[in-house]
Structures are given as C-alpha cells and as structure tokens.
Amino acid sequence: MIMKYNFNEIEAKWQKYWAKNQTFKAENKSDKPKFYVLDMFPYPSGAGLHVGHPLGYIASDIYARYKRHQGFNVLHPQGYDSFGLPAEQYAIQTGQHPAITTKENIATYRRQLDQIGFSFDWSREVRTSDPSYYKWTQWIFIQLFNSWFNNDTNKAEDISELETIFATEGNGTINAVCDDNIESFSAEEWNGFSSKKKQKILLQYRLTYLAETEVNWCPALGTVLANDEIVNGVSERGGHSVIRKKMTQWSMRISAYAERLLQGLETIDWTDSLKESQRNWIGKSVGASVTFKVKESDAVIDVFTTRPDTIFGVSFMTLAPEHKLVSQITTPEQKADVDVYVLATAKRSERDRMADVKTISGAFTGAYAEHPFTKEPIPIWIGDYVLAGYGTGAVMSVPCGDERDYAFANYFNIPIPNIFDGVDISEEAFSDKEKTVIGNSDFLNGMNYKKATKRAIYELEQIGQGEGKTNYRLRDAVFSRQRYWGEPFPVYYVDGMPQMIAAEHLPIKLPEVEKYLPTETGEPPLGNAIVWAWNTKTNEVVSNDLIDEKTVFPLELNTMPGWAGSSFYFNRYMDPDNQNEIASKDAMDYWKDVDLYIGGSEHATGHLLYSRFWQKFLFDKGVVPVNEYAKKLINQGMILGTSAFVYREEGSNTYLSAGLIEDKKVQPLHVKVKYVNASDELDIEGLKSDGEFGEDYKDAEFILEDGVYKVGRDVEKMSKSKYNVVNPDDIVSDYGADSLRLYEMFLGPLEQYKPWNTAGITGVHNFLKKLWKLYADDNGLKVTDAAPTKDNLKTLHKTIKKVQEDIENFSFNTSVSTFMIAANELTAQKCSSKDILEPLLVLISPYAPHIAEELWSQLGNIESISTAPFPEFDASHLVESSKNYPISFNGKMRFTMELPLDMSKDAIEAAVLANEKTQEQLAGRTPKKVIVVPGKIVNIVG
RNA sequence: GCUGAAGUGGUGGAAUUGGUAGACACGUUGGACUUAAAAUCCAAUGUCCAUUAGGACGUACGGGUUCAAGUCCCGUCUUCAGUACCA
C-alpha cells in the first residue's frame, strides 16, 4: 500500500488502468440517458501544449466525469484538426512531408494530453487529414454541388429537381438563391441548350459553385494573401508587391442560409457576445430596393436602402468606383476626372480604404438619374465610401438623413434638401428613425418612419421601380486554397466544366509532389503532381501524361480551406469507423447533438458559423437529425503569461533589482520565468548557467536589494519570444496532474482572461497533501467505520450542495475553494469516518481523478470511481437552530448576537434592544426604527 | 463610432436572490521545529488614526433609490475583446 502522496506513481498507475480497461469508452447503445461533451479539437502545432491550452479541456473533462457520476452515458471524444499551414511551411523549408510532421506533432500532443488524465474516449479519435476522414469532407462537398436552395421551401433540394423544373417550366417560376446575373429562359429554350450551357446555368444555382473572385495575388511569393497579410500595399512577409487578380475559385453559398443561421441563434444556449458577433456578421437589414432610370440612357441603377421613407430627400446618387455602369454613363467632359479617381482608388488596398474614413473624395460622372416620383434630374457621382461588395454597390444619397451623404454633399457643394418636419439640419444630418416626421415629400407628408416606409414601398411597386427587400452582409465563402496540405477536391474538368467524381470512388487521396510551392506558371502546389488526372473508365487517379480529354481528364488543383474538416467532425465522432456513412442513422439518432461544447471565442464568425451552415445543409438532406448541433456553448478565456524582467543599466553590463531603478535609464529584458520564485526573486546562478542565455549574463553584475535580485513582472500573452511559456510537462512532473487540473480551475472563472503564475500552485498542491493525510499517514490507512458526527455530516453535505451547484453553473474555481474548506474542517474535526470520507472522494474525483481513484481503491473498492453515483445532498444535516445575527446601526455592522432561529421578530427586537452593546451604540438615543429580517440581519435606525 | 465583457487588498479572486465586503489561495511579517535550509505547523495581514478599547474611510469616479448598495437606477472615465464608410 502507498502511504505517502506519491503523485507521480499514483497518476501513472491510474492512467495505465484507464487505458487498459477502456474506462471511458462510450457505447452507442445504453439504458442510461446520453450526454455529449465536446472540446474544439486542436491543431497539433510543433510547439506542443503550454499550460493555457488544456484549460477548456479540464473544464469539459470535469463536466464529463460529473455526468458519469450522475448516471449518464457520456460521449467525450477528442481528435485533431490536422490540415493546416504550419506543417506545409515546414515542408517548404525542410522538404519533410507534412504528413510526417503532423504525425510527430500528434504524438507529442497525445503524450501531453494523456498525462493530464483526461477521460477522452480515444477509440473515437478523428484526424481531418486522414483519408478515411476526408473521404466524408469530399462527400459533403459533392452533396453541396448537387443541391440548390429553394426559397419557397426554405431548404436545400436536389439539383435534379431543378433540372426537371427547367425542362418543363423554364426558370421564370423558380424562387431560388442564385447568382444575380441570371438570364431567363423558357422550357423550350432550356431543352435546346447545349450540355455545356446547361452546366453553366446550373452552376449559378448550386450550393457550391465556381466563381471569378478577386484575390490579393503576390507573384513573388506565388500565393494568395489575406487582407491582413498586406501592409501598405506590399506583402507583410518580404515586402513584395501585391496585385488584385481574378481567379476562378470554389465558393459556398452560405448566404442562402443567412436567415436560418440568424433564426437558429434563438434556439441555442450560447453566450450573448458570441450570438451578437454572429448576428453582426450576418448583418441583416430590412429596407427596399429602388430602381433609378439614368437620363438619356437605357441604363438603370438599382440601389438598396433602409430608408425608403426618405426617397424625396435624394439629391444625388453615388456609385462605387468599381461599379460596372461607371464607364458606360460617364460623359466625355467628365471622363478624365473619373478615370483618375477610379485609378487612384484601385491602387489603394481594401484595408487602406476602410481605415481612412475621414477623407472625403469622389468625382462627378456628368450623368443624371431620374427621381422615380418627381422625375427631377439627380446627379450621379462616384465615391469610395460606397463599397462595391455590399448591396448593389450604389446608393441613393439622402444628405439630410445620413451622415456620410451629408459630409459628401457638403464637401462637393451639393444641395441638402430637408424632408424632416421640425428638424434643423444646418449643422448635421438627422438620422433618428424613431423621431422622424416626414415633410416636403408629397404623399409621405406627416408620416412617421414606419408608415412612410410602408407607403413608399407600396408606391414604388405601383410604378414598378422598387420593392421591399432584406439585405444581408454575409458573403458567400471562398472555398479554394492554393495550398498543398488540405483536402483535395473530388473534381475533374471536362471542357472547362467541373465534374464530380462518384462517391463510391472516394477518398481522392492527396497526391505526392516534389515541391510544396506553387508552380512556376503560378498554379497551386498540386500543379507539381505528376499523377493527378482522372480516368473516367477505370475510375482511378492516373498519370498526367495520359490526359486525352476523352477518358482521362485533369483534376482540380486547389485544396479545401481549414474550416472544411472542422465543420462536421462532431457528427463523425458518433461513429468514426463507419465506412459507408458519416455516421450510422442509429448512432446519430442516439447521440443527436452536442450537449456541451467548450472552446475559444476566436472562432465566433469562422468555424462556429460555417459548421452551423453545414449542419443545416446536412439536416435538409436528411443526413443528420438536428438543425443545430450544439445546444450549449461556453467560451473558455485565455491563460496569460506572467513575464519577468531584469533591468540593464543603459550602456553597461550591470543589472538593477526592480526596486533600485528610480529614475535611472534602464532597459528591461525578458528572462525565463523558471528562474523566478514566488517572491519575484531571481535565481542568478540558474540564469548564468542557462544553456541558451547563460553566456550573455556570465560577466554581468547584479545589484541586489536586501540581499536578493527582484525582477519586474508584467502580464502578457504566453509566447516563446517573451520567455513566459510554462510547459504542462514540468508542472505535472513537479506537482502532478491533479495539482495542474485543480490550479487551472482555481485561477478564476472559466470564461475570464487570467494570468498564470506557477508560484501559486503550492496552494492547491498543499491541499491535496492535506486531503491525503485525512485518509492515510505513516502508519497506514486511517479511515474507520466510526459513526460520523453532526459536524462531519454538516461539512460533507454543505460541500455536496456547493460543488453540485458550482459544476452546473460552470463555476469550477469556487468548487476548488469549497474542497479546501472541507478538508480544513474535516482535519480540524479529526474526522476518520468512512461514511464521510468515501463520498467526499466522489465529489473530488471529477477535478482530481487520480488521487480519488487511488484512495477509493485503498478504501476497498474494486471498480473505478468513475461511475460511482454522485452523493445525494440531504438538507436535514444543514438545519441550524440558531443564527449569529449581525447587528447593524444605520447600515453599519457593529457586533453579532447568537439568537435562536425560531425566535419571533418581536422577540428578536426585544433581545437586541436589551443588549448592553446596543445601548452603548445608541448612547441614549431612541431608535426611530428597528428592521428585523429573521435569519438574516437586524438593522437599527436612529 | 458601434457591439459585448469587465474595473473589489500587495497578487489571483469570493460574495448565486439588495442583508456581516475581502471566502479560498498566493505573497508578506512574526513564531515553533531544525546545527542550518527545505518541508511542516501556528499566528497576524484592506488603508488610516489609536498603547488598548475603539473609530474613520473603503468595491474605477460623480450622483440617486433604500432601513440597508460591490449588487438596483442615471451620468462619467478606464481596460479588454470583436467589428466597422453596411446605405
């Protein structure tokens, strides 16, 4: 029997036990109710885990273990989001295949995760880069290709149904989400179209489609850059020039689901801030589309406005400089001006344009539009405050009601007619919808915002120049990446038109390449593959040499983005080895959805939006049983590092202790946090013998204060360059996994950002030692069959109640202090009763499972503690007969008095007033009022 | 600018419904044990005044409601996160 709390030995023993006995393997069938606890799976980076990473995993593990104690069949899986850029970049630098890098990194992650003692069901592990997994990513892509979105039924439907409708009715009756430049055709015309033309038209309706997209192309790096990778018009990395280039890329028609993604938020228990982010991202605005005729031209300008009620206030129109009508309508006299302006805006990056909000610029096209009602001419301008990518890229400008229009009109001396009753607009625009009373506006006069809007839309419909419209900010998502280490598309091209490979031939495995860089002709890395063509006869990937455009065709060279594989993994965990489906119907009907999802808030508008989109699509197709996949979601905060600094006196090799700086010129330098103790004292010898930096400090002189060198401290993000990264491996070996788990929870509320400071871990570590001592000492096990005392029972049940409430409220930090209080009290009570100490282990087991298992088995239990029932709270043990009342005077507590709880209000008042301390406080005054709240407080006023 | 979250001792934080502000820890100080250190144990620890008794002040700031406010209301400031010329 182990008598000392030898945590390293105990933790290794139980981790081995759990693995061997598959303690946490979840079955897809059970008499127990199900509970699905999910973590956002990690990208296995080369740096391994630091202490910040497991925070969310520890929280979800506590919850999963708690649910097992409560009798649930718990699914708690883990896997890897293992496609991604770092492994590819490493491949470019070293030539090592990303698959090898990934495999190594996963091994490190697994080792690190295992030693923290998570109750993951590793039999269900998934890796997005594994062909048996991405087979299903490719499969979903094919389903999206074969679907269109029917606005009438508000769901995705099979593309073959659309073809049937085209063949019988043409596209006049279809209410679909599609590209906006669709030609209309009759059934007869459709049937006469060539196959290629039919394919082109269908592509405009499919939920994933090819589109020309403008990208930031960096020829020197041979890659597409994201907006934030460009600084001052050149690449952040290397400073190479960047051009806007049109590329044909796959897109996902997520905009079809905008309304359902918005509505769905009402049905799920996610944090308000996260839902708000998604709402903003979807950006719904309700208004009208209005058509303006261009004078002396057959062109028309469509605009979207949220204020159709202000239609009579329009005094000019503004087009985005990129608007396709600009060149068509500009008059010869204005052409030079307009060309200069268009060129100037094209040169500015999108980011520059967005950042520079204050500068007003624009140009007059010389053309005029016609007001739909007054028929007055309206000058048409171009200006870069109008964005080509939102709405129609054109606005009707109402300077009296919109700040930007007002500023623009002011700058270019355009008239600002006032159409608001009783409002002064000489200084600024008036945009308060609620207080609006329309004037000067013909049939809208005297109406408020709501009424006028309705009427304006009605009148526009009457003359066929507008209608009510809802606009969304949400853009379709580009789905092509010019990368190697991602899912290949199951797509080949015949005569330039994309064709899907039949599902039974999946997965299409990533080909081998010589080089992971783009080709010299600017093609994506897969362009380097020499075996990357599709043979439609044999249905296999064959050498490019065989391409004959008859039976052998070229395959797609792009790969899918990072979010593809992470958009359905939660479903795959339900049945991860299934060869025929994402998961069997039985498995999905059993597990249905995630009951608790824990992860970072940085995925608010990425992963968490895309995955909801795919889930809704798969729901429409009958693949998954629920519309939303995660009932509840919690964001864990980040653990920050506590950096340490030494201060070098400028121009010398002398370092001043933090307290000695005063007004001397010093340069703060980061030092490794491991050389600093709990009192901020530096281990100078340690620093000088450091393998990496020892040389730098070898001859340095350290000026001490009170015999020690004190470092400066600051809270920063954990990062290698700040030398404040703490590796969980070190914590586990020095203090044990249970201490790490408890400490991460003890640091503060789960959602909050908080600094890590290794020094504080001794607090929870001492608690575990103290706990151990309740059960065993040098003479062996101390636990007896003695009957528990009243105090023992009170402590236990108080703890049961608090811990249960805490777990259900995700307030894990306060449970840890509750455990400490319980251990302190039971130690003081010299409790040795098994009736108390055994159930206490179950309470602690979710938090500190190793020590709980060990003591549990030492108490004679054969089975693992993991499914032992959670102790039941009995309120009768907490019933008190008296209360130590705080007695306050004018709200200030002065002393306390022990009084029976069953005492009446009047009796309490009498007892308190009779007390000599009360008389002392009153000093002869007569109290005006005495407030008695039985069981709580007594307050004397006067 | 907008949206969301948050400001409490030297530090991390607690106070779930308005009812003893600072639980539980870290750190600090003093003490015990020890040749010594570590470990362990005990005590004190919001600030200020006071020898004690006790008192004043105190939850970012300014007001208010209430017998009673960290908690509710109004206004201001600061920090963090997200987002942004969205018509």
Side-chain angles (χ1 to χ4, degrees):
Chain A
M1 193 195 289
I2 303 169
M3 292 312 165
K4 277 245 153 56
Y5 175 44
N6 187 336
F7 49 87
N8 288 326
E9 200 175 314
I10 292 168
E11 289 174 359
K13 170 182 164 187
W14 288 100
Q15 283 163 13
K16 207 168 139 197
Y17 174 94
W18 295 328
K20 192 174 153 218
N21 292 280
Q22 300 207 303
T23 308
F24 306 113
K25 190 165 163 37
E27 297 300 334
N28 281 359
K29 263 198 198 114
S30 170
D31 299 334
K32 299 172 173 179
K34 72 99 186 183
F35 203 90
Y36 186 175
V37 181
L38 180 67
D39 293 297
M40 287 186 188
F41 61 168
Y43 173 79
S45 84
L49 295 172
H50 66 60
V51 289
H53 294 119
L55 180 71
Y57 304 154
I58 294 170
S60 65
D61 197 58
I62 288 169
Y63 208 83
R65 286 174 179 272
Y66 169 69
K67 282 289 170 183
R68 287 193 199 96
H69 288 304
Q70 289 224 309
F72 285 84
N73 182 29
V74 173
L75 173 56
H76 187 38
Q78 187 57 288
Y80 304 97
D81 189 12
S82 48
F83 271 132
L85 211 46
E88 177 163 333
Q89 234 125 40
Y90 191 71
I92 291 168
Q93 286 160 19
T94 66
Q96 174 163 287
H97 197 286
I100 295 171
T101 311
T102 302
K103 205 176 152 195
E104 288 173 359
N105 293 350
I106 286 177
T108 305
Y109 263 61
R110 179 63 191 273
R111 181 185 58 73
Q112 290 191 294
L113 290 171
D114 278 349
Q115 64 180 5
I116 301 174
F118 292 118
S119 65
F120 292 130
D121 177 357
W122 284 108
S123 73
R124 293 173 185 261
E125 181 196 299
V126 300
R127 300 177 182 191
T128 56
S129 61
D130 194 312
S132 68
Y133 180 89
Y134 68 66
K135 171 179 176 178
W136 297 106
T137 319
Q138 292 173 335
W139 182 83
I140 294 170
F141 178 81
I142 296 170
Q143 306 312 306
L144 284 155
F145 184 81
N146 289 330
S147 302
W148 61 293
F149 196 89
N150 185 342
N151 274 329
D152 289 336
T153 57
N154 197 22
K155 60 184 273 212
E157 293 181 0
D158 210 288
I159 201 85
S160 61
E161 288 164 40
L162 190 67
E163 286 180 88
T164 309
I165 298 169
F166 286 170
T168 52
E169 303 170 30
N171 69 349
T173 55
I174 286 291
N175 183 10
V177 178
C178 55
D179 291 0
D180 41 13
N181 54 339
I182 296 213
E183 61 173 304
S184 55
F185 49 82
S186 66
E188 208 173 28
E189 285 170 314
W190 170 262
N191 291 323
F193 288 156
S194 69
S195 156
K196 186 167 181 181
K197 174 136 193 191
K198 283 181 179 171
Q199 288 184 50
K200 270 192 177 159
I201 291 169
L202 287 172
L203 208 46
Q204 296 181 298
Y205 287 87
R206 297 180 189 275
L207 283 181
T208 186
Y209 59 99
L210 280 170
E212 287 255 295
T213 319
E214 272 213 347
V215 294
N216 304 306
W217 176 254
C218 178
L221 294 173
T223 187
V224 170
L225 298 174
N227 275 338
D228 52 345
E229 290 172 314
I230 304 168
V231 181
N232 299 327
V234 297
S235 68
E236 188 181 22
R237 210 153 38 87
H240 305 291
S241 68
V242 176
I243 55 167
R244 306 277 292 166
K245 183 177 160 187
K246 286 214 166 176
M247 279 180 79
T248 302
Q249 308 216 49
W250 286 102
S251 260
M252 286 277 162
R253 222 178 281 282
I254 187 174
S255 55
Y257 283 88
E259 188 60 33
R260 279 173 60 188
L261 287 167
L262 195 61
Q263 297 300 328
L265 291 174
E266 307 297 327
T267 68
I268 48 181
D269 182 9
W270 291 16
T271 60
D272 287 337
S273 70
L274 208 145
K275 287 190 190 181
E276 200 55 33
S277 292
Q278 294 211 346
R279 282 192 199 103
N280 287 341
W281 197 258
I282 295 167
K284 179 179 183 175
S285 44
V286 180
S289 71
V290 185
T291 305
F292 287 79
K293 291 175 180 155
V294 179
K295 290 208 177 237
E296 292 161 29
S297 160
D298 38 2
V300 294
I301 299 172
D302 288 315
V303 302
F304 172 76
T305 177
T306 53
R307 299 295 304 273
D309 57 318
T310 63
I311 183 105
F312 286 92
V314 176
S315 65
F316 63 104
M317 303 199 63
T318 316
L319 306 185
E322 299 89 341
H323 198 282
K324 58 181 187 292
L325 277 179
V326 172
S327 55
Q328 191 184 326
I329 62 172
T330 303
T331 58
E333 304 82 67
Q334 294 301 117
K335 191 171 182 322
D337 275 7
V338 167
D339 284 352
V340 167
Y341 187 69
V342 170
L343 202 70
T345 29
K347 270 194 188 153
R348 300 174 74 190
S349 74
E350 214 168 300
R351 187 152 268 239
D352 283 350
R353 251 172 88 174
M354 286 194 286
D356 181 16
V357 182
K358 286 184 193 102
T359 320
I360 297 164
S361 67
F364 179 45
T365 63
Y368 290 84
E370 179 189 272
H371 192 281
F373 297 116
T374 67
K375 307 296 177 194
E376 295 283 321
I378 306 165
I380 302 171
W381 288 69
I382 60 173
D384 68 359
Y385 79 97
V386 178
L387 304 176
Y390 181 77
T392 61
V395 299
M396 58 176 228
S397 303
V398 183
C400 66
D402 181 280
E403 272 177 56
R404 293 152 304 162
D405 294 346
Y406 190 94
F408 194 87
N410 238 342
Y411 189 81
F412 289 110
N413 278 318
I414 302 168
I416 305 176
N418 189 356
I419 50 138
F420 300 115
D421 272 355
V423 174
D424 174 27
I425 53 143
S426 59
E427 291 298 322
E428 56 178 358
F430 175 77
S431 55
D432 190 339
K433 283 183 197 171
E434 299 308 311
K435 291 181 186 151
T436 294
V437 182
I438 302 288
N440 233 339
S441 296
D442 197 356
F443 49 81
L444 299 178
N445 283 340
M447 293 184 182
N448 63 20
Y449 160 73
K450 252 188 168 164
K451 254 182 135 174
T453 299
K454 225 174 147 187
R455 178 70 187 274
I457 291 172
Y458 171 80
E459 294 291 341
L460 283 165
E461 280 170 357
Q462 291 306 299
I463 57 168
Q465 282 192 255
E467 59 186 347
K469 193 178 173 185
T470 301
N471 212 27
Y472 297 92
R473 196 182 81 101
L474 186 66
R475 302 288 82 181
D476 283 348
V478 177
F479 198 67
S480 295
R481 296 290 183 272
Q482 294 71 48
R483 309 279 189 209
Y484 175 75
W485 192 232
E487 298 87 348
F489 284 83
V491 173
Y492 62 96
Y493 289 88
V494 176
D495 191 17
M497 297 308 295
Q499 313 294 324
M500 294 296 124
I501 291 169
E504 69 250 40
H505 308 306
L506 301 180
I508 302 302
K509 290 188 190 168
L510 202 52
E512 295 303 320
V513 292
E514 285 269 319
K515 273 167 43 190
Y516 302 96
L517 282 168
T519 66
E520 276 154 25
T521 52
E523 283 177 330
L526 293 194
N528 292 316
I530 49 171
V531 182
W532 195 237
W534 185 248
N535 185 327
T536 53
K537 277 238 175 77
T538 59
N539 289 312
E540 56 187 2
V541 176
V542 295
S543 169
N544 297 3
D545 301 341
L546 303 174
I547 294 174
D548 58 5
E549 299 288 350
K550 290 192 187 86
T551 57
V552 180
F553 300 94
L555 280 158
E556 168 75 54
L557 299 182
N558 288 295
T559 54
M560 298 187 194
W563 57 269
S566 59
S567 291
F568 70 101
Y569 74 111
F570 36 85
N571 289 315
R572 184 65 179 166
Y573 280 138
M574 297 175 186
D575 192 9
D577 298 321
N578 196 317
Q579 304 284 309
N580 309 311
E581 300 163 277
I582 292 177
S584 73
K585 195 168 179 330
D586 283 351
M588 293 219 215
D589 283 343
Y590 179 71
W591 294 112
K592 277 199 179 68
D593 54 7
V594 175
D595 293 280
L596 175 66
Y597 194 14
I598 295 187
S601 55
E602 67 272 21
H603 299 108
T605 53
H607 159 64
L608 289 174
L609 197 61
Y610 296 130
S611 53
R612 290 182 61 223
F613 158 45
W614 277 28
Q615 180 76 7
K616 287 180 187 304
F617 168 72
L618 293 174
F619 176 73
D620 287 353
K621 302 300 282 184
V623 177
V624 297
V626 289
N627 209 344
E628 291 287 348
Y629 71 87
K631 282 201 205 85
K632 181 169 181 69
L633 184 139
I634 292 202
N635 293 127
Q636 88 274 15
M638 198 184 287
I639 291 186
L640 305 167
T642 311
S643 305
F645 300 89
V646 291
Y647 299 95
R648 180 166 67 189
E649 217 177 340
E650 233 164 63
S652 75
N653 201 15
T654 309
Y655 293 82
L656 294 176
S657 184
L660 305 174
I661 299 169
E662 289 166 352
D663 47 8
K664 295 196 183 74
K665 286 227 168 186
V666 292
Q667 180 186 13
L669 295 166
H670 280 99
V671 289
K672 291 186 182 174
V673 288
K674 67 173 180 183
Y675 296 123
V676 179
N677 72 7
S679 311
D680 294 348
E681 292 158 7
L682 180 69
D683 172 9
I684 297 171
E685 287 317 306
L687 180 66
K688 285 190 171 178
S689 60
D690 183 78
E692 200 176 340
F693 295 104
E695 280 302 310
D696 300 353
Y697 293 103
K698 203 148 209 165
D699 305 317
E701 188 189 351
F702 287 87
I703 311 292
L704 312 179
E705 53 180 316
D706 305 327
V708 292
Y709 187 94
K710 293 248 184 191
V711 296
R713 307 226 77 164
D714 198 9
V715 174
E716 302 177 291
K717 231 179 187 174
M718 261 194 202
S719 121
K720 223 175 160 184
S721 63
K722 296 183 173 117
Y723 302 103
N724 58 5
V725 174
V726 180
N727 189 326
D729 299 10
D730 298 337
I731 303 295
V732 167
S733 77
D734 292 351
Y735 301 96
D738 285 338
S739 290
L740 175 70
R741 293 170 63 110
L742 281 173
Y743 190 51
E744 296 230 353
M745 292 299 107
F746 187 64
L747 280 178
L750 181 61
E751 289 99 328
Q752 197 168 301
Y753 278 57
K754 50 214 175 251
W756 174 273
N757 193 345
T758 304
I761 202 170
T762 52
V764 293
H765 189 63
N766 284 342
F767 154 70
L768 288 174
K769 285 198 260 186
K770 201 165 186 175
L771 181 77
W772 182 269
K773 279 192 203 155
L774 270 173
Y775 293 80
D777 60 19
D778 294 345
N779 305 318
L781 205 62
K782 285 164 63 179
V783 180
T784 65
D785 288 328
T789 67
K790 231 179 127 188
D791 281 346
N792 295 162
L793 285 164
K794 191 175 155 189
T795 298
L796 176 67
H797 283 271
K798 197 171 71 177
T799 308
I800 295 172
K801 182 166 188 280
K802 177 80 172 125
V803 169
Q804 186 154 8
E805 283 168 1
D806 282 346
I807 296 180
E808 279 161 17
N809 293 321
F810 305 96
S811 174
F812 302 115
N813 53 326
T814 48
S815 321
V816 180
S817 36
T818 302
F819 292 138
M820 291 173 173
I821 293 167
N824 290 345
E825 285 181 5
L826 293 174
T827 303
Q829 292 162 16
K830 297 199 167 34
C831 175
S832 65
S833 168
K834 192 175 176 183
D835 290 351
I836 301 294
L837 296 176
E838 197 171 63
L840 183 68
L841 289 176
V842 182
L843 296 182
I844 291 176
S845 139
Y847 292 80
H850 308 88
I851 193 174
E853 286 275 23
E854 176 62 27
L855 292 170
W856 180 256
S857 88
Q858 292 208 22
L859 291 185
N861 293 289
I862 314 275
E863 295 285 312
S864 159
I865 196 173
S866 62
T867 51
F870 202 78
E872 230 164 273
F873 169 62
D874 181 351
S876 69
H877 296 298
L878 301 193
V879 172
E880 299 271 0
S881 60
S882 70
K883 156 92 189 167
N884 198 20
Y885 278 92
I887 313 298
S888 51
F889 293 79
N890 298 318
K892 284 189 183 112
M893 206 281 287
R894 291 304 176 193
F895 59 91
T896 60
M897 246 177 107
E898 187 85 19
L899 293 168
L901 268 169
D902 54 7
M903 211 175 191
S904 75
K905 255 181 150 176
D906 293 342
I908 293 172
E909 183 172 337
V912 170
L913 287 176
N915 191 298
E916 61 181 84
K917 282 189 188 159
T918 305
Q919 293 311 319
E920 216 172 275
Q921 284 293 329
L922 285 171
R925 282 168 291 142
T926 322
K928 284 198 199 106
K929 208 173 182 182
V930 179
I931 311 276
V932 177
V933 185
K936 286 244 160 101
I937 201 168
V938 177
N939 190 18
I940 297 164
V941 187

